[in-house]
Amino acid sequence: MKSITTTLVTLLLSVTAFAQTPTTDVRKSKNEVVTADNVEWGWLNPLRGDKSPAAGKLWGDRTKNEPAGFLVKFKKGFSSPPHIHNITYRGVVIKGLLHNDDENAEKQWLPAGSYWQQPAGEAHITAADAEDNMAFLDIQEGPYLVKPTLEAFDNGEKPVNVDKTNLVWLNANDIEWISEKSNVETAFLWGSHEKNQLRATLLKLPAGFKGKIKNLSPNFRAVVISGKVTHQFSKKDAKNVLEPGSYFGAEYDASPRLTTETETVIYIRSNGKFKIK
């Protein structure tokens, strides 16, 4: 009996360890841009066709075991059946109103600019309530699968729902890697600021911003959540106007140039530091 018990405990510990979300990303990003009007769209669940939300690729392949970032569009009134995912994902609302919680929970409609985290194995539903609903989803491993609640499990992580009004914004007085004259603000979302650990922040660029983001990380990816920014890798490169849903990656030591006419919020996922100057 002792042998059987020991084996069961070992298996349970192995499953729990396997389910933990990776905290680093060894893949090196490159200088690339995907504008909102050039996103490749398909179905999030191809087997359900147009009954499924639409999914647009930004980086990576969500059908493989690798990190990926993608957009998801929901029709008004969409509500999924209770389900789980095999991996943890993080999401930011770009347009509309979204709800993501236990099927018995009262609806908490998250407006554009809000953030949520859905742990692997946690039973939930996802619903949309506006005419136009879109979110950005970030996964650290794959494939991204939908499974029945009978397969629910606890991977030790907790669900998070943060309305945009509850985000805590910090400015140059609080953060050393932001130039004092830039008026840039940032809100930390997830991850660790330990060396080489993945982390994600929202960066708020004021109207009239003109500056650079110097990437000091081997892996740097950015998604425009609101507003509009003109992006250029160098003075010699072409300019791209990036609206909500657009993406740009940057290689190590690159310093993309950014200019804005209106306040713009950008989601930044990095495997290390970056500076605003």
Side-chain angles (χ1 to χ4, degrees):
M1 180 63 73
K2 183 177 179 180
S3 173
I4 295 175
T5 302
T6 301
T7 301
L8 286 173
V9 170
T10 301
L11 286 172
L12 286 172
L13 289 174
S14 298
V15 169
T16 300
F18 179 79
Q20 290 294 315
T21 305
T23 60
T24 59
D25 186 351
V26 298
R27 292 166 176 77
K28 293 184 178 180
S29 54
K30 60 183 180 179
N31 291 341
E32 59 182 346
V33 173
V34 177
T35 59
D37 55 357
N38 284 324
V39 173
E40 298 177 15
W41 289 94
W43 298 114
L44 186 62
N45 184 350
L47 295 177
R48 297 192 68 200
D50 61 4
K51 293 182 180 179
S52 165
K57 177 182 176 179
L58 297 182
W59 75 82
D61 186 339
R62 69 180 186 280
T63 68
K64 297 179 180 179
N65 185 16
E66 63 184 44
F70 52 100
L71 303 174
V72 182
K73 287 183 179 179
F74 303 87
K75 295 179 181 178
K76 180 178 175 61
F78 172 83
S79 185
S80 72
H83 63 283
I84 71 164
H85 296 286
N86 58 313
I87 50 90
T88 293
Y89 76 83
R90 281 98 175 193
V92 179
V93 183
I94 294 178
K95 297 179 183 177
L97 295 168
L98 294 179
H99 167 78
N100 196 84
D101 210 332
D102 180 88
E103 63 176 311
N104 297 316
E106 183 177 345
K107 292 291 192 296
Q108 179 187 350
W109 295 111
L110 297 175
S114 301
Y115 162 75
W116 84 96
Q117 173 177 302
Q118 183 57 51
E122 181 90 9
H124 66 288
I125 67 167
T126 302
D129 196 50
E131 291 296 331
D132 192 8
N133 306 280
M134 183 167 73
F136 159 69
L137 300 190
D138 187 342
I139 62 175
Q140 314 316 320
E141 58 186 334
Y144 174 92
L145 301 175
V146 177
K147 295 190 173 187
T149 56
L150 288 175
E151 298 184 33
F153 60 91
D154 183 358
N155 79 336
E157 298 172 340
K158 301 300 179 184
V160 175
N161 285 284
V162 183
D163 187 282
K164 68 172 296 185
T165 59
N166 289 327
L167 290 171
V168 177
W169 292 94
L170 305 175
N171 58 30
N173 293 326
D174 309 294
I175 303 173
E176 63 180 14
W177 41 264
I178 293 180
S179 170
E180 290 186 11
K181 61 182 180 181
S182 68
N183 294 320
V184 170
E185 295 180 87
T186 188
F188 298 108
L189 296 183
W190 59 266
S192 168
H193 282 260
E194 295 296 322
K195 187 177 181 180
N196 298 325
Q197 295 293 293
L198 276 171
R199 79 270 326 243
T201 62
L202 290 179
L203 199 68
K204 186 188 293 183
L205 305 178
F209 174 85
K210 187 175 183 180
K212 300 178 183 179
I213 296 183
K214 183 175 178 61
N215 175 33
L216 302 174
S217 164
N219 193 296
F220 178 100
R221 305 185 186 279
V223 178
V224 179
I225 302 301
S226 65
K228 184 169 64 176
V229 61
T230 299
H231 171 283
Q232 190 179 24
F233 278 112
S234 72
K235 286 184 177 181
K236 296 182 291 184
D237 293 315
K239 293 181 180 180
N240 287 286
V241 176
L242 306 183
E243 297 183 323
S246 300
Y247 153 74
F248 68 91
E251 62 187 23
Y252 177 78
D253 211 32
S255 296
R257 298 166 176 264
L258 303 177
T259 58
T260 65
E261 294 182 1
T262 184
E263 182 179 272
T264 300
V265 174
I266 302 175
Y267 174 98
I268 295 181
R269 169 197 186 274
S270 66
N271 214 62
K273 295 180 180 180
F274 59 88
K275 289 186 177 181
I276 310 298
K277 56 182 183 177

